């Protein structure tokens, strides 16, 4: 069992930056691919970024490519999402997820955090 706890959300003006963190429990963190998803009110949960267990491979949604960077520190059991040039449409609850699959789909992940709110004002 893996438990995931996100932090780092908040309110920021358009053009600003935030860094989300996701701390994971367990001794096998490096064996899990990790992802970030987001869900805005009234919308489905959508893929943002993913990183392989080793950290070598990454995937990004087209909407965040060039603005967001996913990374991980396996020694600290933590995955990060650096978000730059934020836009009002980035406003959502951001979720961390972990699983065996390296995928853009939610069903590829077995473990989910509770989410952290990111609000971008115009």
């Amino acid at each position: 069992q893996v438990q995931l706890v996100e932090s780092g959300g908040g309110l920021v003006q358009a053009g600003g930056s935030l860094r989300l963190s996701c701390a994971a429990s367990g001794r096998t963190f490096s064996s899990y691919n990790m992802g970030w998803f987001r869900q805005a009110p009234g919308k489905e949960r959508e893929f943002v970024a993913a990183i392989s267990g080793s950290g070598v491979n990454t995937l990004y949604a087209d909407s965040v490519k060039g603005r967001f960077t996913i990374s991980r520190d396996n020694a600290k059991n933590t995955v990060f999402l650096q978000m730059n040039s934020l836009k009002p449409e980035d406003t959502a609850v951001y979720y961390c997820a972990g699983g065996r699959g390296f995928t853009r789909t939610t069903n590829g992940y077995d473990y989910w955090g509770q989410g952290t709110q990111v609000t971008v004002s115009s």
Side-chain angles (χ1 to χ4, degrees):
Q1 189 75 8
V2 175
Q3 293 186 329
L4 304 173
V5 179
E6 303 97 334
S7 62
L11 174 64
V12 64
Q13 288 188 333
S17 298
L18 281 175
R19 189 192 196 203
L20 305 184
S21 299
C22 173
S25 66
R27 301 179 182 178
T28 59
F29 177 71
S30 62
S31 67
Y32 288 95
N33 300 303
M34 300 297 295
W36 286 97
F37 289 76
R38 66 187 182 187
Q39 189 166 17
K43 295 187 176 182
E44 293 187 353
R45 192 168 298 189
E46 66 173 3
F47 171 76
V48 175
I51 189 166
S52 61
S54 65
V56 171
N57 298 304
T58 56
L59 291 171
Y60 292 95
D62 288 343
S63 59
V64 307
K65 198 173 295 184
R67 300 188 297 123
F68 291 10
T69 302
I70 189 170
S71 61
R72 66 190 296 161
D73 184 341
N74 285 343
K76 296 183 178 180
N77 282 15
T78 304
V79 62
F80 305 97
L81 185 68
Q82 177 66 44
M83 306 186 295
N84 299 328
S85 303
L86 282 161
K87 305 175 180 180
E89 51 263 44
D90 294 318
T91 295
V93 177
Y94 283 70
Y95 297 91
C96 173
R100 301 295 183 181
F102 184 56
T103 177
R104 301 171 184 267
T105 61
T106 57
N107 59 15
Y109 297 88
D110 303 305
Y111 305 104
W112 292 84
Q114 294 300 306
T116 185
Q117 176 70 48
V118 171
T119 303
V120 184
S121 63
S122 56

